[in-house]
Amino acid sequence: MANKITLVTGGDRGIGRATALLLASKGHKVCIGYRTREDRAHEVVEQIRQAGGEAITVQADISQEEQVVALFLQIDKHFGALTGLVNNAGMLMQQASIEQLNAGRLATLFATNVGGSFLCAREAVKRMAWRHGGQGGAIVNVSSAASRLGSPHEYVDYAASKGAIDTMTIGLSLEVAGQGIRVNAVRPGFIYTEMHADGGEAGRVDRVKDNLPMKRGGQPEEVAQAIAWLLSDEASYVTGSFIDLAGGK
């Protein structure tokens, strides 16, 4: 597929940022989706443009359906038909046990991590599917090793939301395989990103790294490499699959 147009949600920091920069270096026209950090998103776009790539930013809260629709319309306007989606945007709340959770926290978390990913996938499929005149494409969902490990005493709710993403990946891959769309997921864990600070422990990776088989935390760029491969033509016969990037955990 010659002309690759890819949306990276949550592309302003961490894994999303690393992925956007890598994809742009490989010739993708990239849309950086962001919710609040406008300055950070523009920094990514400026870095891409200085390197000779093409990128735009679009603000959207993916938990809000009308904003997701508007996000994709902006991509249509600027670049044309989408060929790639990286469902990366997600949130992590303060570490908590089950006894500390409440309905408001659960609703907010699942609306973004699960609902937002579904809505973005829906809009992507409408543009990629052969039955709609699309040229096919690829979706990569950013899940988490937490979906396998459960994150007890820390983020059981977050882990459950990523478990839903795993199931979505399997089901959607089967639903759209006959429409030229591949759907896969990466499951990073123990990566040095700012998200740990959102959970109240910025140094979490350093605390747990010695318990990992590889004895180190991972870098966002290492996850980005896997995402870029799943989006590429080199992965043309891969769908419904998962790549774990958690140092052997």
Side-chain angles (χ1 to χ4, degrees):
M1 195 177 296
N3 192 31
K4 294 197 172 185
I5 298 167
T6 304
L7 165 63
V8 181
T9 64
D12 54 293
R13 70 172 187 171
I15 291 169
R17 180 188 184 100
T19 300
L21 292 172
L22 180 60
L23 292 177
S25 75
K26 293 178 177 293
H28 291 243
K29 296 178 181 178
V30 181
C31 174
I32 310 298
Y34 71 96
R35 184 169 66 94
T36 58
R37 294 176 290 268
E38 182 178 11
D39 56 336
R40 298 287 297 275
H42 283 298
E43 285 176 10
V44 182
V45 167
E46 186 58 30
Q47 193 170 339
I48 289 171
R49 289 176 177 170
Q50 286 182 356
E54 293 186 60
I56 60 171
T57 64
V58 179
Q59 190 277 333
D61 179 345
I62 63 166
S63 71
Q64 303 299 311
E65 185 172 19
E66 69 280 3
Q67 293 190 36
V68 172
V69 172
L71 164 61
F72 278 80
L73 289 174
Q74 283 296 311
I75 299 171
D76 295 340
K77 177 182 176 182
H78 285 278
F79 287 145
L82 192 79
T83 62
L85 166 64
V86 181
N87 258 329
N88 169 72
M91 63 168 49
L92 181 70
M93 295 187 175
Q94 287 284 313
Q95 293 176 353
S97 68
I98 188 72
E99 296 155 0
Q100 297 168 300
L101 302 182
N102 59 59
R105 168 173 166 148
L106 293 171
T108 299
L109 185 79
F110 277 80
T112 296
N113 292 5
V114 182
S117 294
F118 267 93
L119 291 171
C120 288
R122 182 193 72 188
E123 292 302 308
V125 168
K126 285 181 179 180
R127 289 155 172 81
M128 295 177 184
W130 290 338
R131 65 172 169 265
H132 296 308
Q135 54 182 317
I139 297 172
V140 178
N141 295 321
V142 179
S143 179
S144 171
S147 72
R148 298 182 290 104
L149 303 174
S151 296
H153 311 295
E154 293 184 320
Y155 316 112
V156 173
D157 52 348
Y158 173 81
S161 75
K162 292 303 186 178
I165 293 301
D166 287 0
T167 303
M168 169 201 178
T169 299
I170 295 167
L172 185 59
S173 71
L174 296 170
E175 187 169 313
V176 300
Q179 291 297 319
I181 304 170
R182 297 182 300 103
V183 185
N184 295 287
V186 294
R187 287 191 292 222
F190 318 105
I191 308 298
Y192 285 105
T193 72
E194 298 171 24
M195 180 173 270
H196 298 291
D198 297 344
E201 188 185 0
R204 181 172 178 266
V205 176
D206 285 329
R207 173 172 63 82
V208 303
K209 67 180 182 180
D210 289 339
N211 296 323
L212 304 177
M214 290 184 71
K215 305 298 182 185
R216 70 172 180 89
Q219 297 297 328
E221 291 76 15
E222 294 177 293
V223 182
Q225 290 287 349
I227 294 171
W229 181 75
L230 287 171
L231 288 173
S232 75
D233 295 336
E234 283 74 21
S236 57
Y237 203 49
V238 180
T239 198
S241 294
F242 298 83
I243 297 179
D244 289 301
L245 301 111
K249 185 75 170 178

